[in-house]
């Protein structure tokens, strides 16, 4: 009788694949089953089978990688009472763009930290002198706000610079790959911010497809754009809100909402900056 010994060896792919090219296998667990058997001549026969199964734990932003110095000089942390709350993007020496839902009732508790990859480490901090929330913000729609800082931001260095804005009505085509960054949760169920800025690429999802996906949560309007993979696994999450999603060096969206994070069939939703280009100019002069 052959003796069969099975060794089940598991390892989480997300711990070994942390570059963009391999992200299609992040969020999977590889299980290798090693079978040792004895044949009648007392020789050991070795076979192995490997299978991959999905798991729901995205390793980074959700399914992303560490952002590198100099790649996101427009990225700032919007702080409430000195604690990271949201992302924000520098659009001029005085103004940042963020989400309306990132603005507290008491504007005096707001500050901004820029020029650092680590939200908890000193960068350049700024006081907030003025906040303009979109007056049609209803909790989901028109989720956009302007934040003015009291001192000029010294722009034009690798760590600190503004990001360009798209033209009015710019609406990226479905499939266009965008890049979202932030210090938000790496796992929706583990409510811990990422110390280091993270980045992930996600394609634009057709607005009608997205509206059907999110039908049970909220309407998807012309003020929004959606991005994500149908299989999930790569997304923005809580703490990334208000931060940038960019394409070709332009700020095309602001992290806004979603059904949890990284779930299959639930793309992330962003305020579409192209809808608000004229509003930004009217309110800030930028
Ligand atoms: C949030 O709670 C949040 N997956 C932000 C983005 C997304 C979900 C939730 C998108 O701020």
């Amino acid at each position: 009788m052959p003796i069969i010994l099975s060794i089940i060896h598991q390892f989480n792919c997300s711990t070994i694949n942390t570059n963009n090219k391999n992200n299609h296998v992040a969020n999977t667990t590889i299980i290798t089953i090693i079978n040792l058997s004895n044949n009648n001549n007392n020789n050991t026969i070795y076979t192995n089978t490997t299978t991959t199964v999905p798991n729901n734990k995205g390793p980074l932003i959700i399914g992303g990688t560490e952002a590198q110095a100099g790649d996101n000089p427009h990225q700032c942390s919007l702080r409430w009472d000195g604690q990271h709350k949201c992302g924000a993007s520098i659009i001029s020496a005085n103004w940042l763009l963020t989400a309306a839902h990132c603005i507290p009732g008491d504007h005096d508790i707001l500050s901004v930290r820029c020029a650092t990859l680590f939200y908890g480490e000193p960068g350049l901090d700024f006081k907030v002198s003025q906040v303009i929330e979109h007056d049609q913000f209803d909790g989901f729609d028109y989720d956009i706000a302007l934040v003015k800082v009291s001192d000029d931001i010294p722009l034009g260095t690798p760590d600190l610079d503004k990001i360009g804005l798209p033209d009015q009505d710019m609406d990226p085509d479905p499939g266009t790959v965008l890049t979202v960054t932030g210090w938000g949760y790496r796992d929706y169920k583990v409510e811990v911010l990422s110390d280091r800025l993270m980045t992930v690429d996600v394609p634009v999802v057709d607005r009608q497809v997205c509206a059907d996906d999110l039908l049970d949560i909220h309407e998807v309007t012309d003020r929004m754009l959606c991005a994500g993979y149908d299989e999930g696994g790569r997304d923005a999450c809580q703490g990334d809100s208000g931060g940038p999603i960019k394409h070709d060096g332009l700020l095309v969206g602001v992290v806004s909402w979603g059904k949890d994070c990284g779930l299959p069939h639930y793309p992330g939703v962003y305020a579409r900056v192209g809808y608000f280009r004229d509003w930004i100019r009217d309110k800030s002069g930028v």
Side-chain angles (χ1 to χ4, degrees), residues 101 188 235-239 241 255-262 267-269:
H101 85 261
Y188 190 68
D235 200 1
C237 200
Q238 200 163 324
S241 279
V255 180
S256 181
W257 63 278
K259 159 80 176 148
D260 298 353
C261 310
V269 188

Side-chain angles (χ1 to χ4, degrees), residues 92-268:
S92 80
N94 297 102
W95 289 96
L96 294 93
L97 197 66
T98 189
H101 85 261
C102 291
I103 303 300
D106 177 5
H107 296 172
D108 289 347
I109 68 169
L110 278 176
S111 64
V112 170
R113 172 169 288 181
C114 307
T116 178
L117 282 178
F118 297 88
Y119 76 87
E121 290 184 6
L124 269 183
D125 289 7
F126 297 91
K127 290 190 180 131
V128 170
S129 59
Q130 192 185 349
V131 177
I132 303 172
E133 298 161 67
H134 202 291
D135 59 8
Q136 287 169 273
F137 173 58
D138 67 0
F140 287 86
D141 211 359
Y142 296 91
D143 192 8
I144 199 111
L146 285 156
V147 171
K148 190 176 189 186
V149 288
S150 36
D151 295 319
D152 276 7
I153 305 173
L155 301 179
T157 70
D159 294 331
L160 196 58
D161 213 347
K162 63 182 178 179
I163 184 167
L165 297 170
D167 292 341
Q168 178 65 29
D169 298 327
M170 191 271 195
D171 193 9
D173 290 333
T176 308
V177 177
L178 312 180
T179 302
V180 58
T181 46
W183 289 280
Y185 296 169
R186 299 168 177 197
D187 182 330
Y188 190 68
K189 294 184 209 84
V190 183
E191 301 181 357
V192 178
L193 293 171
S194 169
D195 296 338
R196 185 184 178 127
L197 188 68
M198 307 304 295
T199 181
V200 70
D201 289 352
V202 275
V204 174
V205 174
D206 175 82
R207 192 170 283 101
Q208 189 55 54
V209 170
C210 181
D212 293 346
D213 285 343
L214 290 160
L215 202 57
D216 52 339
I217 313 293
H218 195 272
E219 184 190 3
V220 173
T221 71
D222 196 32
R223 270 73 57 190
M224 302 171 189
L225 70 83
C226 304
Y229 288 90
D230 201 42
E231 68 269 27
R234 279 171 271 184
D235 200 1
C237 200
Q238 200 163 324
D240 296 319
S241 279
I245 190 165
K246 64 179 183 177
H247 179 62
D248 271 351
L250 298 180
L251 181 64
V252 297
V254 170
V255 180
S256 181
W257 63 278
K259 159 80 176 148
D260 298 353
C261 310
L263 295 180
H265 318 303
Y266 289 107

